[in-house]
Amino acid sequence: MKAIFCLLMFISAGLFAQTTKVDSLQHLLASAPNVEVRIDLLTSLSLSYSTLSLTKSEQLAQEALTLAQPIGYGKGIASSYNALGICSSIRGDYSKGLDYFMQSLRLRESLGDQSAIASTHSNIARIYTYQHDYDHALEYALKSMDAKRKINSTKQLGLGYINIGGIYMNKKNYALALTMFSTAHDLFEDRKMTVEQGWALVEIAKVYDALENYPEALNMALRAKGKLDLKGDVFTAGEVFRLIGAVYHHMGNRIEASRYLRTAIAMSDDNEDSNGRIMARRQLADTYKDAGMLDSALYYQEQCLVLNAEIFNTEKARQMATLEKVYQTESKDRELREKNDKLRFQATVISIISVLMLVLAVLGYISYHYYRDKRKTAKELEKLNDEISNKHVEILVQTEELEKANEEVRRINESLEQEVQHRSERIRQQNQMLIEYAYFNAHNVRGPLARILGLAGLMESEHSVELVKEYNVRIHQSALELDKVVREINNKLQYEH
């Protein structure tokens, strides 16, 4: 949903990220007649670049804001904040994005621009959706619809229905979600708006996927793929490929699922789509996990954890920078506020310590169960190794007894050449039988023993209690299989002996 979120914000601003439009705007920027026009062109360029280069998009929006603030150009300041909010949201910095959108909304409400107000309400609603605050998300989505009805735009109304449907999807009210998305699709179909129909079909496919109607979900997703401009809008392309991959995963088609999800990963990596990068990798990890390919699943799960950590660190750095800025702006009142600052600092420290204690308690609980299960598994492996060693000793003893018997035969029958040849042939056959048994031992013991070692390796880096238990069960099953093989070898040796 992150890619559709970004796309709808761009459409709500009335812009498309097309290379031809970028060239046209840059040409107009070079001959801007005044600073207000230059600011408007810079914000338009920023939104167009948001699907091409986030770094360039942020630079253009910041330049527009720097020009607009000194002259008090309200429309330009609001548009700059909106563009910066979009860039922050695409990067996954939702708190910073929400701050920018709120500043933009206040200015646009003072200016009375209904179209701009509607788009900003939609953007704020989506931010709250990704923060799982669905009540606030629905509140701002409905405010956006009120503003869109005033401007009487079919496209904006359709996008509003999609936005509200997305919120109902997150609330798991699939019936209302399907109604909203279908209404949007019908509006776009009546006006022959092909690309917009594709957006609605993507969301309808998600509803059917949630309802486990996978054939219909795949049908809708492929229809959407045929209507959307996948080359011109890489964020939507990544969203569609993730969706199709997820549906194929649910249908049990691992090959097609992994193909689409790998394509989605490449797209999200190339376009700095933080949420898309995490979602595609998580879906691919689930696909490999369900297919029993635990090494591949673990690889992509670890990549998800790394990406989550990167986003968390970025958010933490932004919060620290914000605190520093507040401290600097209040430096003149420092003496009067010293006591309050001290109390706030103490409250922050107490909060951090409380959170850390809670985290440590949870980690301690998880670690206790993990290491307890790990010790139990280690003991079972040690017991199994002892049994294997004992069986090996028994085989060596039997081999030594056979060698002694052969020596006794040769000593007794030195004068009987024919008997010696007969006995020698029998010894050769017995030795061949031992070689075959040794090959049988190496071939059949290696399989379950390798599974035991592989699962033990996975348990060392696994933090999920449920997965550790599952690995423990599989190790026990492999140990039983290995014991069965060893007993079978022993029985055959005893029978032949």
Side-chain angles (χ1 to χ4, degrees):
M1 288 194 58
K2 172 66 181 295
I4 295 300
F5 159 65
C6 299
L7 176 65
L8 295 181
M9 288 194 294
F10 305 154
I11 295 304
S12 67
L15 297 166
F16 293 94
Q18 300 291 340
T19 303
T20 55
K21 186 167 185 177
V22 169
D23 293 338
S24 176
L25 289 171
Q26 288 177 333
H27 178 73
L28 292 173
L29 183 65
S31 58
N34 54 57
V35 66
E36 288 85 1
V37 173
R38 181 175 181 81
I39 292 168
D40 292 340
L41 290 171
L42 284 170
T43 55
S44 297
L45 266 174
S46 174
L47 291 172
S48 297
Y49 264 109
S50 60
T51 58
L52 303 173
S53 171
L54 281 179
T55 302
K56 181 67 173 178
S57 179
E58 287 176 330
Q59 290 175 351
L60 292 167
Q62 193 61 53
E63 182 180 351
L65 182 62
T66 302
L67 292 174
Q69 285 178 329
I71 64 173
Y73 181 36
K75 178 183 176 183
I77 296 173
S79 298
S80 300
Y81 281 138
N82 184 69
L84 289 170
I86 289 173
C87 293
S88 297
S89 301
I90 294 174
R91 289 191 187 280
D93 192 347
Y94 299 131
S95 297
K96 190 174 182 179
L98 185 60
D99 289 341
Y100 281 128
F101 288 141
M102 285 297 186
Q103 294 181 73
S104 177
L105 178 61
R106 285 192 291 269
L107 287 169
R108 286 175 167 177
E109 286 179 337
S110 67
L111 296 171
D113 186 344
Q114 294 300 321
S115 178
I117 291 172
S119 66
T120 308
H121 276 136
S122 294
N123 295 340
I124 294 172
R126 293 183 183 92
I127 289 288
Y128 278 123
T129 298
Y130 294 118
Q131 292 180 330
H132 308 294
D133 188 350
Y134 302 126
D135 291 334
H136 278 100
L138 189 59
E139 175 188 350
Y140 279 92
L142 293 174
K143 288 181 179 180
S144 176
M145 288 296 289
D146 291 339
K148 288 174 180 178
R149 290 189 180 95
K150 294 177 182 178
I151 61 177
N152 193 25
S153 168
T154 300
K155 180 185 292 186
Q156 294 299 322
L157 283 174
L159 294 175
Y161 282 122
I162 289 177
N163 188 20
I164 295 174
I167 297 171
Y168 282 126
M169 274 288 290
N170 283 287
K171 298 183 74 168
K172 301 189 184 304
N173 191 335
Y174 301 126
L176 281 176
L178 186 59
T179 299
M180 294 295 107
F181 297 147
S182 299
T183 301
H185 177 266
D186 293 341
L187 282 174
F188 295 143
E189 189 174 44
D190 289 342
R191 296 300 178 90
K192 301 186 184 303
M193 301 166 73
T194 304
V195 173
E196 289 79 358
Q197 290 179 52
W199 302 335
L201 287 171
V202 168
E203 301 304 318
I204 292 173
K206 292 177 184 177
V207 177
Y208 283 119
D209 183 56
L211 294 172
E212 299 183 357
N213 188 346
Y214 302 132
E216 190 63 19
L218 182 61
N219 176 45
M220 292 296 175
L222 293 176
R223 284 179 59 191
K225 181 172 176 285
K227 292 180 179 292
L228 293 167
D229 180 14
L230 301 181
K231 293 183 179 179
D233 189 344
V234 292
F235 289 99
T236 305
E239 173 72 8
V240 171
F241 279 96
R242 285 200 307 275
L243 176 60
I244 296 175
V247 174
Y248 272 124
H249 167 216
H250 295 150
M251 297 177 71
N253 190 334
R254 180 184 60 81
I255 295 177
E256 286 299 311
S258 60
R259 182 168 71 89
Y260 276 95
L261 291 173
R262 287 178 184 276
T263 303
I265 288 173
M267 289 180 174
S268 59
D269 288 347
D270 291 342
N271 296 284
E272 302 179 43
D273 182 2
S274 299
N275 195 60
R277 296 172 71 190
I278 294 174
M279 290 176 63
R281 284 171 170 82
R282 184 176 293 118
Q283 290 173 349
L284 189 56
D286 291 340
T287 298
Y288 283 128
K289 179 181 177 182
D290 292 345
M293 302 171 66
L294 299 180
D295 289 339
S296 298
L298 181 61
Y299 171 77
Y300 284 102
Q301 187 63 37
E302 289 176 346
Q303 287 194 351
C304 289
L305 295 175
V306 171
L307 290 172
N308 275 320
E310 290 177 358
I311 293 174
F312 172 80
N313 290 333
T314 300
E315 175 69 3
K316 184 178 180 181
R318 186 199 68 79
Q319 291 174 352
M320 294 299 294
T322 301
L323 290 173
E324 178 64 20
K325 183 177 180 181
V326 171
Y327 174 78
Q328 291 175 358
T329 58
E330 295 181 350
S331 60
K332 293 182 180 179
D333 301 324
R334 187 176 302 168
E335 292 182 359
L336 296 176
R337 299 178 181 179
E338 184 176 354
K339 292 184 179 181
N340 291 333
D341 289 342
K342 185 177 181 180
L343 289 174
R344 283 197 295 270
F345 174 76
Q346 290 175 346
T348 302
V349 171
I350 292 172
S351 298
I352 293 173
I353 292 174
S354 298
V355 172
L356 288 175
M357 290 180 66
L358 179 61
V359 171
L360 289 173
V362 173
L363 290 176
Y365 177 79
I366 295 174
S367 299
Y368 168 74
H369 285 277
Y370 169 73
Y371 286 109
R372 185 186 65 181
D373 293 338
K374 186 176 180 180
R375 286 196 300 270
K376 182 179 179 181
T377 303
K379 290 180 179 178
E380 292 179 353
L381 286 173
E382 184 178 357
K383 181 180 178 181
L384 181 61
N385 289 332
D386 291 339
E387 291 179 358
I388 293 173
S389 178
N390 292 335
K391 295 298 181 182
H392 182 68
V393 170
E394 291 180 7
I395 292 173
L396 290 177
V397 170
Q398 291 176 355
T399 303
E400 185 177 355
E401 290 177 354
L402 287 173
E403 290 178 352
K404 289 181 180 179
N406 291 335
E407 183 65 28
E408 183 67 19
V409 169
R410 284 195 297 272
R411 187 171 58 253
I412 294 175
N413 296 287
E414 287 180 354
S415 62
L416 301 174
E417 181 178 355
Q418 184 176 1
E419 185 65 15
V420 167
Q421 291 177 353
H422 177 73
R423 297 289 179 101
S424 296
E425 180 61 20
R426 181 180 177 186
I427 292 170
R428 187 190 64 79
Q429 291 176 357
Q430 290 175 338
N431 288 335
Q432 181 63 33
M433 178 188 68
L434 288 174
I435 292 172
E436 292 176 357
Y437 284 160
Y439 174 78
F440 178 83
N441 178 29
H443 181 73
N444 288 274
V445 168
R446 180 174 179 81
L449 183 58
R451 287 194 293 274
I452 291 171
L453 294 174
L455 289 167
L458 284 174
M459 287 178 65
E460 292 180 355
S461 59
E462 183 57 60
H463 300 291
S464 171
V465 176
E466 294 299 324
L467 285 177
V468 169
K469 290 181 178 180
E470 180 182 350
Y471 294 156
N472 189 35
V473 170
R474 293 189 180 183
I475 288 176
H476 183 68
Q477 291 175 348
S478 298
L480 292 175
E481 182 181 349
L482 183 59
D483 181 68
K484 181 180 178 181
V485 171
V486 172
R487 291 179 183 278
E488 182 180 354
I489 293 172
N490 185 45
N491 291 337
K492 286 185 178 182
L493 287 174
Q494 290 178 350
Y495 175 80
E496 294 294 336
H497 180 71

